[in-house]
Amino acid sequence: MDRVNPATGEALGVVEADDEAEVETALETAAETFETWRDVPLAERENLLSNAADVLRENETEYAELMTEEMGKPLAAARSEVEKCAWVCDYYAEHAGEHLQDDHIGTEPGVDSFVAYEPLGPILAVMPWNFPFWQVFRFAAPHLTSGNVGLLKHASNVPGCAAAIEEVFREAGYPEGVFQTLLVGSDLVDDVVEDDRVKAVTLTGSERAGRAVAETAGAELKKTVLELGGSDPFVVLDDADVEAAAATGARARTINSGQSCIAAKRFVVHTDVYDEFVEAFVAEMDALDVGDPTADVDLGPQARADLMDDLHDQVERSVAAGAHVELGGEPLDREGFFYPPTVLTDVPRDSAVAEEEVFGPVAPVFEVADEAEAIDLANETDLGLGGSVWTADRERGTRVAREIESGTVFVNELTKSDPRLPFGGVGDSGYGRELGAMGIHEFVNRKTVWVQDAEEPADGPAGE
C-alpha cells in the first residue's frame, strides 16, 4: 500500500498488503476465537475495554502523530480524536452490562419471559480514512464487549493507523484474534463478506461502497449497518443569534479540514438575517489558519490529491452555474493538498455544491424567505445524516428539528456524535445505528426466551 504525506506530497514507507493466505488465516482465527471469547464473562470484557482506554491515553501523542502523517489531520484535532476513542471505551466499559442485561417482559403467570442479547460471531468493519481511529473504536468498543470478534478492513491510505489500533487491543490484554486488521484492497472485500465465517458487516464510507457491500451481504442474508455520508443543512432562522451561528458554523464546516460526514454542508439562512450572517460567516472563515498540520493551525490539507481535485471541480462547476465566490475558491499554491476555507453565495439549487456531498472546507450559503422554505431546502437531499437549527426559541427549534429528515438534529449546536446517543442516517445516508444502547444491539441475537414449569403449561394461542 503506497502512502503519501498530504501536507508535503512526499511518499511515506510502503506497507505490504496481506495476501489471500493471510486473509484465510485471519478468518479462521476469528472463527476459532469467537467460540471462547463469547463465553468470557461480561465483566472481564468490560475490564479489558477499560484497559484499552488507558492504552489510548498513554500513547496519545504517538497515535495523533500517526494520523496527522497519514491523512493530514491537524495535530490538535488528532489528539482530540484519541481522547474521544478513550471516552467511547470508558462509556461501554461502564454501561455495556446495563445495555446487555436480559430484558424481562411480563406475559403469563408463572412464566419467566425475557429477551437475551447474544453475540453473532466475527463482524467485518469497513472503515474510511477521515477519522481513522474514532470510526473504528465506535464499532469495536460496543461490539467486542458484547462478545463478537472484529475484523477491520481500513482505508488503504491509513494502514499505519489500522496496525496501531490492533496493537491497542493487544496491549490492553485482549486474547489473540478478538480484533484483527486485514491489510487488503477493496477488491477482496466481497470475498470476505461472502465468507460463511463472517456473520455481519458494518461500513462507513461512500454511497457507492455502501450499496456494493449491502448487495453482497444481502445475497448472503447477513446483517449490515451503513453510514454513508451526509449533506447536512445548517439552518439559521430569523431570530437566531447570528454571531454565535456564524462562529459555530465556521467550525462545523471546517472540522477535520471539512472532511467529515456530519460537517455542515449547506447553510440555509432566513432573508431577515442573511446579509448579517454572510458578513459574519465570511469573517469567521477568513480568520481560520490553514497550514502545516503539525503546527497550531485550524485546517490541514485534504487527505489526497484526487480529493482536492474533486472538491475544486465542484466549486468550478458551481461558479460556472452562477455561484459567487465570497472567499477562497482556489487550491493554495504550496506543497501538499491544501484548499482554503471557501464561501459561495447566490448558489443555484441545481449546482454541484447544492446537490452533491461536498467533502472539504467549501460552504454554499442559500437565502430563504421563511421557515417553511428553510425546511423544504434542508430536505432537498437524499443524504439524511445530520442537521443543525439556530433559533432563540427552544420550542421553535424543536418543531423545526422534527421536520428535518435526518438521523440527527442539533438545535443551537453543531452536529456531532456522542457515545451516549444513537448515531446514523436515513435515505442514502444508510441505515442502522451506532453508539448508545441502540448501537450495541445492532450485532446481537435478540433472543426471546420463555421458561415455565413442566407441569404448568401456559394458555394462549399457538402458531405464528
Side-chain angles (χ1 to χ4, degrees):
M1 294 182 174
D2 294 324
R3 301 180 298 159
V4 174
N5 185 324
T8 65
E10 297 176 353
L12 300 171
V14 174
V15 175
E16 291 298 322
D18 292 336
D19 59 26
E20 292 185 9
E22 289 169 315
V23 172
E24 169 60 27
T25 298
L27 289 168
E28 187 60 28
T29 298
E32 292 174 356
T33 301
F34 173 66
E35 295 305 320
T36 54
W37 176 246
R38 66 183 302 172
D39 295 327
V40 171
L42 178 56
E44 185 175 336
R45 297 199 297 264
E46 289 174 324
N47 286 336
L48 288 169
L49 189 60
S50 183
N51 292 347
D54 293 339
V55 173
L56 285 162
R57 292 188 175 101
E58 290 166 4
N59 298 283
E60 177 182 302
T61 299
E62 175 188 342
Y63 300 146
E65 290 176 348
L66 180 58
M67 280 188 269
T68 298
E69 179 182 54
E70 287 197 320
M71 54 72 60
K73 186 188 303 288
L75 191 57
R79 289 183 180 276
S80 295
E81 182 167 338
V82 177
E83 292 168 6
K84 191 168 185 178
C85 293
W87 180 23
V88 77
C89 291
D90 288 339
Y91 175 81
Y92 283 108
E94 181 178 354
H95 293 286
E98 169 192 344
H99 297 329
L100 295 171
Q101 66 182 336
D102 294 344
D103 185 8
H104 289 266
I105 303 171
T107 50
E108 303 286 342
V111 168
D112 183 15
S113 46
F114 59 91
V115 175
Y117 299 100
E118 300 178 352
L120 299 180
I123 311 297
L124 175 65
V126 182
M127 292 292 142
W129 49 264
N130 58 332
F131 290 91
F133 269 64
W134 167 243
Q135 285 162 322
V136 176
F137 273 91
R138 76 184 189 195
F139 151 73
H143 301 306
L144 300 187
T145 311
S146 67
N148 296 300
V149 300
L151 293 161
L152 169 65
K153 187 280 178 216
H154 218 325
S156 59
N157 60 328
V158 289
C161 291
I165 293 169
E166 183 175 336
E167 183 64 25
V168 169
F169 290 108
R170 186 177 299 114
E171 289 191 18
Y174 280 75
E176 187 82 18
V178 172
F179 184 92
Q180 299 176 84
T181 286
L182 304 178
L183 293 177
V184 298
S186 299
D187 56 318
L188 290 182
V189 170
D190 278 355
D191 291 343
V192 177
V193 173
E194 291 173 346
D195 193 285
D196 289 342
R197 291 163 292 193
V198 171
K199 302 305 179 184
V201 186
T202 182
L203 177 143
T204 298
S206 69
E207 179 187 341
R208 178 187 57 78
R211 289 182 184 277
V213 165
E215 181 178 2
T216 303
E220 302 296 324
L221 296 179
K222 294 181 180 180
K223 175 71 179 289
T224 52
V225 169
L226 304 178
E227 193 263 271
L228 307 180
S231 186
D232 292 8
F234 189 97
V235 178
V236 183
L237 298 175
D238 54 304
D239 62 344
D241 181 333
V242 172
E243 292 296 327
T248 302
R251 287 197 299 118
R253 174 59 279 196
T254 59
I255 285 175
N256 203 40
S257 305
Q259 301 167 119
S260 170
C261 299
I262 52 172
K265 304 283 175 62
R266 296 173 297 129
F267 290 80
V268 180
V269 185
H270 193 287
T271 188
D272 289 356
V273 294
Y274 178 81
D275 290 339
E276 181 185 359
F277 177 82
V278 169
E279 181 179 0
F281 183 57
V282 169
E284 293 284 351
M285 293 282 277
D286 193 33
L288 296 172
D289 293 325
V290 184
D292 179 359
T294 65
D296 184 17
V297 297
D298 299 302
L299 278 75
Q302 303 301 282
R304 299 194 311 261
D306 62 307
L307 297 171
M308 184 182 70
D309 293 343
D310 290 345
L311 178 67
H312 187 51
D313 177 66
Q314 290 176 309
V315 171
E316 289 188 311
R317 286 187 285 128
S318 298
V319 171
H324 175 71
V325 179
E326 300 282 348
L327 179 71
E330 293 285 344
L332 297 182
D333 184 14
R334 58 176 296 171
E335 296 297 326
F337 316 133
F338 290 90
Y339 206 87
T342 296
V343 179
L344 304 178
T345 56
D346 301 323
V347 180
R349 296 191 183 181
D350 60 352
S351 63
V353 296
E355 295 189 331
E356 302 169 9
E357 181 177 19
V358 179
F359 221 63
V362 174
V365 186
F366 302 86
E367 183 175 2
V368 293
D370 52 33
E371 178 184 302
E373 186 182 2
I375 293 169
D376 287 344
L377 180 53
N379 291 334
E380 280 187 11
T381 178
D382 295 325
L383 295 169
L385 187 58
S388 183
V389 178
W390 290 76
T391 173
D393 185 335
R394 289 173 66 105
E395 287 189 10
R396 186 186 192 189
T398 301
R399 183 182 71 250
V400 173
R402 290 182 182 276
E403 294 293 324
I404 292 178
E405 297 166 358
S406 65
T408 302
V409 183
F410 281 68
V411 177
N412 297 324
E413 177 61 293
L414 57 81
T415 306
K416 54 189 175 182
S417 57
D418 184 313
R420 300 165 293 186
L421 299 171
F423 176 79
V426 296
D428 289 349
S429 283
Y431 49 75
R433 291 295 178 265
E434 299 176 278
L435 303 176
M438 293 183 184
I440 201 171
H441 289 162
E442 286 287 1
F443 294 130
V444 293
N445 174 20
R446 307 175 199 190
K447 179 188 287 185
T448 296
V449 180
W450 177 290
V451 182
Q452 67 183 46
D453 293 336
E455 67 274 11
E456 296 181 7
D459 295 328
E464 296 186 356

